[in-house]
Amino acid sequence: MAVIKSLLHRIQWARSGASLLMAVLVALLAMPATADDSEPAADGGPTIGLALGSGGAGGLAHIAILQAFDDLGLQPDHVAGTSIGAVIGGLYAAGLSAEEILDIFDDFAGSEMDALSRLARSELELFELIPLRLGRNALLDADTFLRFLAAHTPIRTFDDLRIPLTVVATDYWTSQTVTLQDGELFPAIAASMAVPGLFEPVPSDDGRLLIDGGASNPLPYDLLRDKVDIVIAVDVSGAWNSAEQPLPGLTDLLFKTFSIMQKSLIREMIRREQPDLYLAPDTGGAQLLHFNRIHLILDAAQPSAAELRQHLRDWQPGDSRSDDRGPDR
């Protein structure tokens, strides 16, 4: 009998102990998590992807767009760039501000390279940066220009970038879009800006021959859809008024034809699926190599920059709107 009582006592103690343990667990689960235990709190704002399109010198308008982010103390969460969009987007993702990028292009903005037949006899800084390569499979050599850009940042690889970046090129043999997101940065930019006939194609490590990304995806906002909440597409392919243009020369015909193709691709892309915000800055009538018109292009792009600035304000949580660092211009 004593043995039975002892056994019953032990069972009762075990049950009470289990109940106590369960009560402790429930209490712990009901307690609010401390800062150390919880996930980092988000600021409540949406993630933003910025697609910077191709367009030659008209792509200098991208600088005005980036300035809108800088004015508000913001930055995109991911950048995708094609051709000139890859050049400017790459510098921005490396940590340069819009003003610093403007200073870089200002260093050789005294040149007008759209008339290549006049280039050899012009005393222009950009001629020194991008020498002629007559007799080769391209008119210009991009290596000196890329070394000039690289001298303005210590960043050399995608892994070192401050903002995730997707660079777009085209496989010459298959015509397929090639996305470059790892490895060395400046060879990827060289491939993305390799306009056929203007710059040499760039061989890749895996055996592909890469040319300008504008040949397959001139406005790569589609590559950002699964990466961010809001996608902004900046189309700098520009517009020309035939009434204001002289009869085209050989180089104008070659490169304007390339631009026409890119415009057709962009129209089809937008017909299929629109970005959350589509911006088409006025590029002041700049053609492919009108880098001497940098300030005219930036002035013309200000309405689009102001539109973006307002959207960025609207997308931010209420408390963040007081952090604006610059007025609409």
Side-chain angles (χ1 to χ4, degrees):
M1 189 68 177
V3 173
I4 293 175
K5 286 183 178 181
S6 175
L7 181 59
L8 291 174
H9 177 73
R10 290 180 182 180
I11 292 173
Q12 184 177 8
W13 179 87
R15 286 177 176 172
S16 63
S19 299
L20 178 61
L21 178 60
M22 182 63 69
V24 171
L25 289 174
V26 170
L28 287 173
L29 290 173
M31 290 175 62
T34 65
D36 293 336
D37 295 331
S38 61
E39 293 294 324
D43 62 5
T47 56
I48 296 174
L50 180 64
L52 302 177
S54 60
L60 296 172
H62 290 319
I63 299 173
I65 297 301
L66 296 176
Q67 187 64 56
F69 281 92
D70 289 354
D71 286 346
L72 301 179
L74 302 172
Q75 69 177 31
D77 297 277
H78 198 111
V79 175
T82 298
S83 199
I84 186 66
V87 175
I88 292 177
L91 293 173
Y92 194 70
L96 277 70
S97 67
E99 185 173 351
E100 289 170 329
I101 297 170
L102 170 59
D103 288 342
I104 291 173
F105 282 93
D106 245 344
D107 284 347
F108 55 87
S111 64
E112 180 180 349
M113 293 183 59
D114 61 306
L116 292 176
S117 61
R118 296 166 44 202
L119 184 60
R121 64 176 182 269
S122 62
E123 297 178 359
L124 304 174
E125 293 176 58
L126 195 54
F127 173 55
E128 297 173 357
L129 291 172
I130 309 180
L132 280 169
R133 298 170 61 88
L134 298 176
R136 301 291 294 271
N137 62 351
L139 290 172
L140 303 176
D141 180 6
D143 291 345
T144 307
F145 173 63
L146 291 168
R147 285 195 296 271
F148 173 77
L149 294 180
H152 290 79
T153 174
I155 302 299
R156 291 295 178 268
T157 69
F158 281 85
D159 288 341
D160 296 330
L161 293 171
R162 298 185 182 181
I163 301 173
L165 174 70
T166 299
V167 170
V168 177
T170 303
D171 187 323
Y172 175 78
W173 299 113
T174 67
S175 73
Q176 297 299 308
T177 295
V178 177
T179 56
L180 305 169
Q181 302 177 89
D182 51 41
E184 295 187 43
L185 175 63
F186 286 97
I189 291 175
S192 185
M193 60 176 271
V195 178
L198 186 63
F199 297 118
E200 283 192 307
V202 176
S204 67
D205 293 337
D206 56 5
R208 292 179 292 191
L209 189 64
L210 303 180
I211 62 171
D212 194 291
S216 61
N217 192 343
L219 189 58
Y221 63 88
D222 57 310
L223 303 179
L224 298 171
R225 276 295 179 201
D226 61 348
K227 301 179 186 299
V228 294
D229 299 322
I230 294 175
V231 174
I232 302 169
V234 186
D235 178 4
V236 292
S237 58
W240 291 272
N241 185 341
S242 60
E244 299 175 359
Q245 300 294 333
L247 290 175
L250 176 61
T251 53
D252 281 339
L253 283 171
L254 289 173
F255 299 127
K256 178 63 188 299
T257 301
F258 188 63
S259 297
I260 291 171
M261 177 199 70
Q262 293 183 84
K263 282 179 170 294
S264 297
L265 289 172
I266 291 171
R267 280 197 299 269
E268 179 60 23
M269 291 174 63
I270 292 179
R271 187 189 67 80
R272 292 199 312 265
E273 181 182 19
Q274 295 187 1
D276 297 295
L277 177 61
Y278 171 77
L279 298 172
D282 185 348
T283 58
Q287 298 182 26
L288 182 70
L289 298 168
H290 274 154
F291 286 93
N292 64 313
R293 300 185 181 181
I294 181 169
H295 291 286
L296 184 152
I297 293 168
L298 291 177
D299 288 345
Q302 288 309 313
S304 289
E307 179 183 353
L308 172 60
R309 199 175 289 111
Q310 185 57 55
H311 280 285
L312 291 174
R313 289 192 184 106
D314 293 342
W315 292 332
Q316 296 309 303
D319 292 342
S320 301
R321 297 180 189 178
S322 60
D323 296 334
D324 296 359
R325 298 190 302 175
D328 289 342
R329 290 177 291 198

